[in-house]
Amino acid sequence: MTAAETDRALVERVAKGDRAAVRLLFMRHHARVYRFVARQTGSELMADDIANEVFLELWRQAPAFEGHSEVSTWLLGIARFKALSLLRKKKEDWIDDDDAAQVADGADTPEVVTMKEDKAAALRRFIDAMPEEHRTVIDLAYYHGQSVSETGEVLGIPVATVKTRMFYARKKLGEALRAAGYDRGWP
């Protein structure tokens, strides 16, 4: 096994029952899946459970993987489905996003850090207040670095729909930031 072995080759190995390949895919993608689910559910506990279930599902579904998308996109799609299913079944305490905003950039002055934290917290509140369809598109694109086509695959919607949702989501975010007195620049 080489360090540069592709995710697709690893999925093929998983399909043949290779547990080491599952472990390697887990090491490569667990943090990303976990962060995505934590954002979707607002619960670290649920995110941990679901992220682990995603890799169990990888083990089960590897023989059916056809490679039409990137493995990371496929895993995020599984994660999204599992998160939505679990959210329909139960509710839990939500994590405090303000705690996540407390991480300061050491290169900035305390004033700039405070301004960034305030704007980031406001932005997160505005995103959280958006309809789910806009919130998820923003989350996948900006917090998980998914392209428009990958976002469409994860959500199971056409690329044109992703673009439309992204346009309106950004427009609403800009309006909300301006109304709250924030400039477009950072901080």
Side-chain angles (χ1 to χ4, degrees), residues 19-143:
R19 291 175 188 245
V22 173
R23 283 192 295 276
L24 188 52
L25 285 167
F26 182 89
M27 291 185 329
R28 286 184 184 177
H29 298 285
H30 181 266
R32 184 181 212 183
V33 170
Y34 172 84
R35 285 190 307 266
F36 174 69
V37 175
R39 279 250 187 258
Q40 295 300 304
T41 63
S43 168
E44 292 176 352
L45 182 61
M46 287 173 72
D48 194 40
D49 290 344
I50 292 170
N52 290 330
E53 285 181 31
V54 166
F55 290 93
L56 289 173
E57 201 64 31
L58 162 68
W59 178 259
R60 287 185 210 114
Q61 291 188 23
F65 180 69
E66 296 177 357
H68 295 299
S69 63
E70 291 298 319
V71 172
S72 61
T73 302
W74 181 54
L75 293 173
L76 289 176
I78 294 170
R80 180 176 182 272
F81 176 77
K82 289 194 170 292
L84 290 174
S85 295
L86 193 56
L87 284 173
R88 287 184 192 114
K89 291 179 186 173
K90 67 180 191 180
K91 296 205 177 222
E92 238 180 41
D93 293 333
W94 299 95
I95 62 170
D96 185 7
D97 281 345
D98 292 333
D99 289 342
Q102 297 300 321
V103 178
D105 181 357
D108 291 332
T109 65
E111 294 83 14
V112 172
V113 169
T114 301
M115 290 169 56
K116 284 183 177 181
E117 289 173 350
D118 289 346
K119 189 170 184 180
L123 185 60
R124 191 71 236 169
R125 281 193 311 274
F126 296 145
I127 291 171
D128 289 344
M130 297 178 99
E132 190 269 335
E133 63 188 16
H134 291 146
R135 185 176 59 245
T136 303
V137 168
I138 291 287
D139 191 53
L140 285 169
Y142 292 105
Y143 292 96

